[in-house]
Amino acid sequence: MLLVKGSLDRERPPVIKIYGESIRMKDSIRYLGIHLDAKLRIDTHVENVTSRCRVMFNSLARVAKSNWGLGHRAMSTLYKGLFVPITTYAAAGWADLLNESHRRKLASVQRHALLRVTKAYRTVSTDAIPVIAGVLPIDLAIIERAHQYKIRRSIHFEFEGLAFREDEAATGSRTRSLLRARLREAIFRTWQRRWTSSSKGRTTFEFFDDVQARLRSNWVRLDTYVVQFLSGHGNFRAKLSAFNLVENEFCLCGEEQTSGHLLFHCERYSNSRSDLRNKALEIGLHDRITPRELVSKELFETFKELARKILNRQSNDDGTTQRLETDESSHLDSTCDQSLNTGTSGRDTSPTNAPPE
């Protein structure tokens, strides 16, 4: 039993018996899969959902390492078939109660799951990881699911300038399909505004500046190598030096070793870029190739192979992979969650999972 109003003393709740059995008072109840507390808030529900998803993806991480086990396609299927239904379940009943604290918790657990889906490094930002993975930020996915239900049931709602009234459904002035399309556009506008104005994930922004185009890019199949270049977080000396994991930030060629330097400029990998140059010429690209062109349908697979070649050779040349694998085991996933609350990155820059010895 849950006491939701009245002046009774919560420290000394009333004793209610039915057929001699006492009915216990509780701080929260679960009704049709939604947890509500005595003030009809969803704090308990959000906590329960995020905890379930975190435990689930921690278990999956055992069979989804960076270089073996479940790959990107399988993990994406599990994300869409498990994570999204759990977090958006009955969203129409509680989405309007979401506050900033709930959004942060949901974003944190989504980041936790997507790090395993994408095989990305733990320091990749919360803003960038949904773009890399090609999925909606979870708070927007919840809002979309809730408003889709309201459209289907002709329930009034307002979102980002889009308003729907019950009488419009009755008169047929707007079809449900048109409303769903407009809702989707409003969701994308909100996400695009966030992504454009964010100070995080600017390397990823060079590849995917348009979030709607990213979701349409179904040819992008990720692995641990290409994700390092898409995020800018990986086995690059400039990044590792910032975390005091290597002595300096310089490449063997003498320049600062960033992801962009290895991908476009380092003379040591000019031969490795030959396939990419030839492929670009085939499709009519004669000028300098941009990051956006690398993730096009015509060039992505060649770019993906180039990323693998560069990072394999680079790790053999300067031995930074061993540093990362050794450093990884001493850090917990809580590091990245703490960084979300403090606005700083965790010290660990290693991949979410190390390959087997």
Side-chain angles (χ1 to χ4, degrees):
M1 185 177 71
L2 183 70
L3 181 64
V4 296
K5 66 178 182 178
S7 58
L8 295 176
D9 187 353
R10 295 181 185 276
E11 299 299 325
R12 299 178 61 188
V15 177
I16 299 176
K17 292 186 177 182
I18 298 179
Y19 297 111
E21 295 291 333
S22 296
I23 306 300
R24 297 173 58 188
M25 294 289 295
K26 301 186 68 175
D27 293 330
S28 65
I29 61 170
R30 180 182 179 185
Y31 181 69
L32 297 178
I34 302 177
H35 292 79
L36 296 173
D37 64 15
K39 295 184 179 180
L40 299 182
R41 296 178 303 193
I42 59 169
D43 299 27
T44 305
H45 181 72
V46 171
E47 189 66 35
N48 178 267
V49 165
T50 55
S51 177
R52 286 175 60 195
C53 290
R54 193 176 297 275
V55 170
M56 177 175 59
F57 273 84
N58 277 341
S59 299
L60 287 172
R62 300 173 184 175
V63 291
K65 304 299 183 180
S66 59
N67 285 318
W68 64 275
L70 296 177
H72 172 250
R73 181 175 297 185
M75 289 298 289
S76 293
T77 301
L78 290 170
Y79 174 85
K80 294 173 183 176
L82 293 175
F83 182 89
V84 175
I86 289 173
T87 52
T88 62
Y89 173 76
W94 55 274
D96 292 338
L97 301 176
L98 281 174
N99 58 34
E100 192 58 34
S101 175
H102 300 146
R103 287 185 171 88
R104 284 197 300 269
K105 289 181 179 179
L106 289 165
S108 173
V109 75
Q110 183 187 38
R111 180 179 183 276
H112 182 82
L114 291 181
L115 286 176
R116 282 140 182 82
V117 173
T118 61
K119 320 291 186 182
Y121 277 54
R122 291 188 180 120
T123 51
V124 176
S125 70
T126 305
D127 291 345
I129 196 70
V131 179
I132 294 172
V135 299
L136 280 174
I138 193 59
D139 65 315
L140 294 181
I142 290 169
I143 291 171
E144 183 180 39
R145 181 67 62 88
H147 290 341
Q148 284 177 343
Y149 175 84
K150 293 176 182 179
I151 290 173
R152 189 165 63 251
R153 295 293 184 178
S154 301
I155 300 173
H156 170 75
F157 74 87
E158 295 183 6
F159 177 72
E160 291 292 318
L162 177 65
F164 176 63
R165 300 189 303 273
E166 295 87 341
D167 59 331
E168 290 179 322
T171 59
S173 60
R174 294 183 182 178
T175 64
R176 286 181 171 82
S177 59
L178 177 60
L179 273 172
R180 282 193 291 268
R182 290 184 177 179
L183 172 62
R184 188 71 168 174
E185 291 173 0
I187 292 288
F188 278 129
R189 284 198 304 271
T190 302
W191 187 14
Q192 185 66 60
R193 186 166 59 250
R194 290 183 189 176
W195 181 229
T196 302
S197 62
S198 175
S199 61
K200 304 293 185 180
R202 295 303 87 184
T203 298
T204 304
F205 188 83
E206 294 179 4
F207 291 93
F208 302 114
D209 60 333
D210 186 333
V211 294
Q212 192 168 2
R214 170 62 188 98
L215 262 64
R216 291 196 300 264
S217 303
N218 55 10
W219 58 84
V220 175
R221 301 293 182 184
L222 304 173
D223 62 24
T224 187
Y225 302 106
V226 75
V227 164
Q228 293 181 52
F229 285 100
L230 292 176
S231 64
H233 290 245
N235 201 22
F236 313 120
R237 295 187 69 88
K239 181 63 67 175
L240 301 179
S241 177
F243 293 93
N244 296 321
L245 296 176
V246 293
E247 295 178 358
N248 60 68
E249 69 274 23
F250 297 111
C251 181
L252 293 180
C253 70
E255 300 293 330
E256 183 183 22
Q257 192 189 82
T258 63
S259 59
H261 169 73
L262 289 178
L263 189 58
F264 293 111
H265 306 298
C266 187
E267 295 179 356
R268 297 164 58 230
Y269 305 106
S270 58
N271 291 335
S272 300
R273 298 189 195 97
S274 59
D275 290 342
L276 181 63
R277 286 195 297 267
N278 293 336
K279 186 67 176 179
L281 290 173
E282 287 179 12
I283 63 175
L285 294 177
H286 300 283
D287 298 328
R288 180 179 178 273
I289 303 172
T290 66
R292 292 183 185 88
E293 291 164 343
L294 286 177
V295 293
S296 65
K297 188 174 184 178
E298 295 80 10
L299 290 183
F300 181 75
E301 286 301 321
T302 309
F303 164 44
K304 187 175 176 180
E305 179 62 19
L306 174 61
R308 184 188 65 80
K309 289 180 180 179
I310 290 176
L311 288 174
N312 280 337
R313 179 182 169 187
Q314 185 259 348
S315 62
N316 290 333
D317 287 348
D318 59 20
T320 51
T321 296
Q322 183 60 42
R323 295 172 187 265
L324 288 172
E325 291 176 4
T326 302
D327 186 66
E328 181 187 38
S329 60
S330 63
H331 292 79
L332 299 175
D333 287 333
S334 59
T335 304
C336 64
D337 296 328
Q338 292 170 0
S339 69
L340 287 173
N341 296 327
T342 61
T344 59
S345 297
R347 297 286 296 176
D348 186 11
T349 64
S350 57
T352 53
N353 303 288
E357 296 180 353

